[in-house]
Amino acid sequence: MSSAITVGSPGAGDPPTRRRGARLVATLVILIIAIGTMLAGASPAHAGSHGVGYDIGEGWLGSYSTDSDGRQAYCIDLGMNAPFSPTSEPQTITSLDSLSRQQIAELNYVLARWGQSGDPTVTAAVALYVWSVGDPGVYNSHGMSGDDYYVARAPAGVRGTILSNLATMRAEAPVNAVVDPSLSLAIDMADQYAGTLTVAANPSHLQGTVNLTGAVFGNGSSSRTVGAGQFGITGTPADGAPSYQIGASMSVSGDGYGAKLSLYTSAGDEQRIIASVAGSPASLSASAQTPVIDLDFQPVIATQVSSRYVTEGDAFVDQLEVTLTKGTWTRLGGSRIPIAAEGTLYGPFDQQPREADSPPLGAPVAGVEQVTLTGAGSYTSPGMIEAPSSGFYTWVWKITKEDQGEYAQYLTGSFTDRFGRVAESSVTPFQPQAVSTADQHLAVAGDPLTDTIVVSSGNGPWLRVDGEPIPVVFEGTLYRVPGVRPPTESATINPDAVPIGTVTITATGPGRYIAPMVVAPAGGFVTWVWEMKKASQPDWVRPYLADDWADRYGIPVESTSVRWPLHTSSLLREYNVHPGGRAFDVVTVTGFPADHGDFHGDGYWQADTDEVTHVVYGPFATDTVLTDDLDLSTAPVLTRLTTPARNGVYQLGYTDSDRITPTEPGYYVVVSSFAGDDRVRPYTSSPADVLERFYVPPPTPPVIPVTVITQATPEAQVGEPFEDLALVQGDVPAGSTLVFRAYGPQPPDEAPVCEEPFYVSEPIAVTQAGVYRSGTTTTTDTGAVYWIETLYDSDEEVLAEGVCGAPGETTVVTAQPQPLAVTTKATPEVELGKPATDTATVTGTVPEGAALTFETYLQGGDEPTCTADELVQTTEPIPLDGAGEYISESVVFETIGTYYWVETVYDIEGAELTRGVCGAPGETTLVSEKPSPTPTPPAPLPGELAYTGGGDWPLPFGIGAGILLLAGFGVLAFGRRLAIYRERNGYVREEDLENGALDDLGSLDHDDEG
């Protein structure tokens, strides 16, 4: 607060000159008495004296200095003697005369605030204030304001300042005085450690030092000077303490506050003097203490696996780092309490689990381990869980409060680690392996050989990274097995085995894979051996693989027999064998393994087939059938012989047991065959081998003369190819040739002429009786083409020749058919009841069996309509026997009106070939009423020209001609309008376009317009 107290200037309180001498004398007297008392050894009682103030001869105005404690005090009893006698010790009083507690509090405030001032203008104002409150009756009993009366004791020059200071005191005292000052402390805890200290004071601006026990302020200090307000505090229990309390104490100076005063007394007739209460009686103090705060703590666990990769069968070890997120580890009896932690190892998983708050439902568990914790620090799991298989394993540690027994009360709560953290996960590498099967059990040299491998992990799941299976490279080598027998299975590769080719497969997870092909070598056994080498894998893959892996050598299903090719060569002793004679053959067999016939199988590979069959096929009428295409299953068989299936030279037919005796004439061939086995390919010698043939000639046949029979293409159209065929019979001399010649074309009805051929074939070699073709030719003209064939011998002498115009040697060439077209013309107008017809002119080529019908439709509007609703009649079909004019049957209409004719041509199957257009020009018949009878003309008047000529017979013809002429003009006009209407509306018959009818109509329009 502020106080506007005016401090007097030096010399302002000096008394007037006329009293200065008296004051000086009085002062000297006091000094002499004091010195004398001191020298005389006076008693310890002290007398009061003037303090700070004014004395100008009108009376003292100011403070008194107490002789007991030296403080400045102020008299409250006007009119009594000055308190110069020894004063008593100050006595704290809470009541004074009839003053109220508020007045006492205001006096205490003013005396404390200004009472000890060294400024006489202030102490003078305090004296006036005390008198006006403590003894108001006397103060204001002088007929004027007590302020004006008593301020006159001060020099005139400072009176305004004194009164101004007095006014300030009177203004501030009611506001700032406190009847009952107070101080209180309260501690509120938000949790076990954080709290708030609340300081309440009256007046609120009191300040003092707070001392804390068991806690500190935010600045880390346990003491702090504060005023009223709230202050954060933090508990500082002893390390490991299970509980503690927080205390706070505070003392502040209460000088000037409260309804109390310090009272000094002296002799009975002297004034009492008062001052503010100071020192211990004026101080305020307070304290507070929390209830006992039970403490708990919260341990948490962070782990790091000892090894990222753990080999199958090795132990999983986890490193635990225990820290506290709250409190300190509780001690009982000087030792930290034990807390049980449980670690669950989840796995195996085929890939690193996704981090989560908890394991997925049904997650596999590899094992559980316990660790006893006795404080923050590092721990190692017992390592009792061994890796059972490949996979990803991850630890989850937890501290369960409920499982801690009597120590549970000291834990804040339970703790559970997150699932799937990489740092808490280990990997047990997987062991890729494969089982393979050769795709070819049997093969021949040059065949592509492949192997199918089924890849898997031999010790658990195939691991994944980022959701994808880890790729593993397998290397397969195809070995040629030494010797001629199947390989012997072993863990190591036969050192004499020769690698033929090596392929690789990158397996992207378990499954079936087909290896790239390797070309089969020459005969013998081959076997696949697969291996997986860690060193051959990408760097990032290797840690996930347990070890190298290799297949066994010589596994039967991984082997293929490249079967040996068999070959025979033979030679019959003679080619011609007479009927009933003997044939002899020598066959050389090569290609069998040296031990063929001695291998009896091993349970997987079949035993050798130890037999070669030699079959004599025949007789055949000609040796031309002895080709590789000969169907031996249906060929005639003379005899069958067998020899061992071994390399060597074998004689056939030399003993009675293997006689080869043909009984019928013809051609014979010896075919050697081997059925094949697991080591040697099937084999059949060629029936076309001339060295394996012999011939049994028949009896000499009679000579057959050479004849030629020909047959030419009978008909062809212009531009179409045609040819001649010749059947040559008899004994044709060697080197014979056949030439065909074509003459014409010429009119078929004229005598054949064969002079200059328009086509001559190339000479055709005739090696035997048979059919020979001339080759095709064409012509652009119609008529008859005559063929002549000529057979020449090797000297170009004619053996046989045809005759011009011989039967079967003529080709009639006709023109290409014209398209079918129909134009029609109907009766334009008839009287009701009279017959009408439609005439169709058919052009082009008419298919055989075609027929023509006519339909009539009655029109009821302006638009041509030919539907079933308008149909009046359909004529019987008229067979068409070619192009020409065909007239419909007569139709008698029963209703007047306009009728449209529509003609239709059908083929023999009833399919429509052409159809007219509804309302086409020329296809309309107008049916009108019968005309009234014509009146007899009157007799000619005199003077008319004479009628000469042939009597009366021309008259009807003239009348009829006139009628027809008028009808013709009428039909022409109607037809023209109808055609114009249809042309304008896009309705035109095809025949109108073809025959130029619209052009004629167009010219009529132009004539009309002209």
Side-chain angles (χ1 to χ4, degrees), residues 403-421:
D403 295 344
Q404 306 305 318
E406 61 181 317
Y407 302 118
Q409 61 182 314
Y410 301 109
L411 285 182
T412 303
S414 297
F415 163 80
T416 300
D417 197 5
R418 282 179 64 80
F419 169 82
R421 296 182 61 228

Side-chain angles (χ1 to χ4, degrees), residues 615-622 625-627 629-640 667-671 687:
V615 180
V616 182
Y617 291 96
F620 299 97
T622 176
V625 300
L626 300 180
T627 67
D629 296 329
L630 177 64
D631 185 0
L632 297 178
S633 65
T634 61
V637 175
L638 176 63
T639 187
R640 296 178 186 272
Y667 293 91
Y668 294 83
V669 63
V670 179
V671 176

Side-chain angles (χ1 to χ4, degrees), residues 715-738:
E715 294 181 352
Q717 294 180 354
V718 171
E720 289 184 346
F722 53 94
E723 64 178 352
D724 195 11
L725 300 177
L727 173 62
V728 179
Q729 297 175 317
D731 296 328
V732 180
S736 298
T737 58
L738 184 63

Side-chain angles (χ1 to χ4, degrees), residues 29 49 53 61 105 136 146 202 230 244 246 257 261 288 354 365 396 415 464 509 637 662 733 823 841 849 934 940:
V29 170
S49 61
L61 182 60
N202 187 19
Q230 291 184 324
Y244 78 114
I246 297 176
Y257 297 105
L261 294 168
R354 187 187 303 274
V365 175
V396 174
F415 163 80
R464 296 171 175 264
V637 175
T823 57
T841 301
T934 304

Side-chain angles (χ1 to χ4, degrees), residues 857-867 870 898 900 918-920 974 978 981-987:
Y857 297 89
L858 175 62
Q859 300 302 298
D862 294 335
E863 293 293 331
T865 306
C866 296
T867 66
E870 292 82 24
T898 300
Y900 290 152
C918 181
F974 175 79
L978 179 61
Y981 174 82
R982 291 174 178 169
E983 182 182 17
R984 289 173 179 170
N985 289 274
Y987 186 78

